[in-house]
Amino acid sequence: MRGYVTTASVTGHRVGTVAAVVAVLAVLVGALAGPERQRLGPQDAGDPALADRVRAAAGPLGGLRSLAVAEVTPTTVTTAGLGPADAAAPFEIGSVTKTFTAALFADAVTRGEVRPDERLDRVLGELAGTPAGGVTLGAIAQHRSGLPPLGATAATGALAARAFNGNPYLSTTTAQLIDDARSAPVDPQQPPTYSNFGVALLGTALVRAAGAADYPALVRDRITGPLGMTATTFAATDAQIPPDAVPGHLDNGRPAPRWSGEGYLPAGSSTFSTAGDLARWAQAQLTGVAPGTAALTPTAQDDPGTSIGWIWVTSTATGADGARHPFVWHNGGTGGFRSMLALDRETGRAAVVLGDTTAGVEPVAAALLFGTPPSEDAPDPLVWVPVGIAALFSLLALRRAVRADARLPIADGLLTAAFGLVLLWNRGPWASAGGWVWGLVLAPAAAALAVAVLRGRELPTVPPRRAVTAWGGLVVSVLLLAAAVWAG
C-alpha cells in the first residue's frame, strides 16, 4: 500500500513545531527576564563577626536582598553590610521617621510649645469647627485619635499607586493635608488605629508651634544637626532624593517606585538615612542625649504585653535565656524597603536593620538584641497557589487554542492566561524560586498564542450557537486581567 500525507496533517505538524519552539523560548525568556528570586547576596562589608551573625540570623528568612545593620551600646557602634547594595548609602526608612516626630512632640511639651491635651485646632487654626480639629495631640501620638489611616488624597493615591506601581504620597502637599483634615471623619469609638494621617498632622502642628519653616528644617534644627546625623535627609520632591540612595525592590525583584511628597514627611513618606546615622539616633536614646526621650515611656496599653508611648511601641521578646525582655521599637516600610530600630533599655543595647526589599527585617533585629535566631519555619504552601492558578489557565488557553472552533473563545483563553501570569508575576513565590517558574507557566500560553495566530485565519470570529456565552466569557476575562493589574 502506498502511503500519503494530507494537507491537514502537514498543517498540524507545522503548528505543533512552531508551538513547541515558542514554548521553549518562553521558558528561556522567563529564566532570563522573569521575576528574580529574592535572596541575601553573598557580599559582606564592615565588621566580619557582626556580618556572620546577621547572615546566620537571616538564613531562614526569604525575600531579602541587601541589609545594612548596626549594633549599638552607649559607647560603641558596630556596623555591617550584606548583599549587593552599598551599606553606607541612604535607604528609605519609612515610618522609623515617626520616632523623630515622637521626639519633637515630647521636646515641644518640655519647651512649653504644646501640651498633650491640646486640641489640634489650637495649633492648626484652619481646622477650627471640624471633627479633626477637636482631637488632642496626645491621642494622635497614641494612635487613638479616631482619624482614618490616610487622608482622602493619599487614600486615592494609594489605590492609583497599587495599580501603576507608583507613589501614594506624591500629590499630598502640606496644604492639601490640612484641607483633607477639614473633611476627615473622626470616630471616637474606633479602636487604636495606626494613622499616617494623624502623625502627619501632628508633625505639621509641631512645625507651626515651633515657628519653623517646614518639617525637615525642624528636624535639622533639633535632632539631626545637634547629633551630627548628616546623612539623614527628606525628599518633598523627586529632585531631593539623594542620587546615591540604595534602590528598592518589589517582591518579584523589579525596581520599586521612589517615594517623595511633602505632606506626609512627618509620618515617613520620604526619609533617607543610613545605618550609621540611625545608630547615632539609637545611641542618643540609650544615653538620654536625644531630645524628647520621654516619648519612649509608655502612656497607654494596647494588647497584653504591648504598650505605646508617644508613637514608640514597647513589647516583650523571648531571649536565648528563655526570659521575657521588654524592648522599645518602631519599624518602617515604603514601596521597596523595610526598616527596624529596636532598643533594649535594660541592657543598654540597640539594633538597627535596613533592607532594600519588602521582606520584614524585624526578626534580624530581635536576633541581634536577644540572641534567638529566627526559626526556620516550613515554607507556606499558599505561596505556590498563584503558580497553580496561572499554570491551569495557561494550559487551558493552549487546549482552547488547539480545539476551539472560533477566535473569540481562543481570545478569552489567552486573556485568562494573561490574568494568571500577571497574578503570578506580582504574587509568586519569589523568595524561594526564580523566573524559570514563571517561564514554565508562560510556555503553554505562549504556545497558545502561536497556535491562535496560525489557526485564526481559518476560523470564524464568533462560534455558532454560542455567541452570548463567548462574549460573556471574554468580558469576564478582561475584568479579571484588569483586576490583577490593578492589584499588582
Side-chain angles (χ1 to χ4, degrees):
M1 178 182 279
R2 195 173 195 180
Y4 66 93
V5 179
T6 66
T7 302
S9 65
V10 171
T11 301
H13 177 73
R14 182 166 66 91
V15 169
T17 301
V18 172
V21 170
V22 169
V24 171
L25 291 175
V27 175
L28 294 176
V29 167
L32 296 175
E36 300 175 25
R37 180 181 178 185
Q38 300 298 284
R39 49 188 165 186
L40 191 59
Q43 304 89 337
D44 287 347
D47 184 79
L50 177 58
D52 287 345
R53 290 172 54 215
V54 171
R55 194 170 291 280
L61 306 176
L64 300 172
R65 189 184 187 100
S66 299
L67 293 173
V69 299
E71 200 168 36
V72 184
T73 73
T75 58
T76 64
V77 171
T78 307
T79 61
L82 297 87
D86 181 355
F91 286 63
E92 291 181 28
I93 66 170
S95 287
V96 170
T97 306
K98 290 183 173 70
T99 65
F100 300 156
T101 304
L104 291 172
F105 178 44
D107 184 56
V109 171
T110 300
R111 292 169 181 260
E113 293 173 347
V114 298
R115 301 187 316 276
D117 61 352
E118 193 163 10
R119 290 164 50 112
L120 190 58
D121 60 9
R122 294 292 299 274
V123 187
L124 300 177
E126 303 96 319
L127 300 182
T130 68
V135 304
T136 65
L137 303 184
I140 293 175
Q142 296 170 331
H143 291 298
R144 284 166 165 75
S145 64
L147 287 164
L150 293 172
T153 302
T156 301
L159 290 174
R162 179 176 290 275
F164 303 110
N165 191 25
N167 172 9
Y169 299 108
L170 182 63
S171 59
T172 303
T173 62
T174 299
Q176 184 61 57
L177 179 82
I178 295 174
D179 193 55
D180 286 344
R182 288 192 183 98
S183 58
V186 174
D187 180 4
Q189 304 304 316
Q190 179 176 272
T193 299
Y194 190 86
S195 177
N196 284 310
F197 187 38
V199 176
L201 287 168
L202 174 62
T204 302
L206 296 174
V207 170
R208 185 78 62 85
D214 52 28
Y215 182 79
L218 184 60
V219 173
R220 283 194 302 269
D221 180 53
R222 297 187 177 180
I223 295 177
T224 58
L227 295 179
M229 297 168 60
T230 57
T232 300
T233 59
F234 302 87
T237 65
D238 287 349
Q240 294 173 333
I241 295 172
D244 62 338
V246 172
H249 301 85
L250 303 173
D251 292 341
N252 56 21
R254 298 308 171 197
R258 287 293 190 193
W259 282 10
S260 63
E262 178 189 50
Y264 281 81
L265 285 179
S269 62
S270 187
T271 309
F272 293 83
S273 191
T274 63
D277 255 24
L278 291 179
R280 286 177 178 263
W281 181 231
Q283 193 172 58
Q285 306 298 324
L286 296 176
T287 60
V289 172
T293 54
L296 299 168
T297 303
T299 57
Q301 188 76 26
D302 281 340
D303 300 322
T306 302
S307 55
I308 189 168
W310 300 141
I311 297 177
W312 285 96
V313 179
T314 297
S315 301
T316 58
T318 302
D321 56 1
R324 299 291 291 174
H325 300 274
F327 69 106
V328 185
W329 61 275
H330 210 290
N331 59 2
T334 64
F337 293 86
R338 292 295 183 267
S339 58
M340 180 66 169
L341 171 55
L343 311 168
D344 182 351
R345 301 176 75 193
E346 287 188 349
T347 62
R349 299 173 60 244
V352 175
V353 186
L354 306 178
D356 63 347
T357 70
T358 56
V361 297
E362 294 85 355
V364 177
L368 291 179
L369 278 182
F370 306 115
T372 304
S375 60
E376 189 164 3
D377 297 327
D380 184 358
L382 292 179
V383 301
W384 291 92
V385 169
V387 178
I389 293 173
L392 175 62
F393 288 156
S394 192
L395 289 168
L396 289 175
L398 179 58
R399 180 176 182 273
R400 186 169 290 186
V402 171
R403 300 181 61 177
D405 56 358
R407 297 171 191 163
L408 210 57
I410 294 176
D412 178 15
L414 290 171
L415 286 171
T416 306
F419 155 73
L421 289 165
V422 171
L423 175 69
L424 178 58
W425 182 279
N426 292 321
R427 299 287 183 266
W430 311 128
S432 55
W436 60 270
V437 170
W438 196 79
L440 285 174
V441 175
L442 172 66
L449 179 61
V451 172
V453 171
L454 294 174
R455 288 192 67 218
R457 289 168 294 182
E458 306 169 0
L459 299 175
T461 299
V462 181
R465 298 184 300 277
R466 299 195 312 276
V468 173
T469 302
W471 281 111
L474 190 70
V475 170
V476 171
S477 296
V478 169
L479 292 175
L480 284 174
L481 179 58
V485 172
W486 182 266

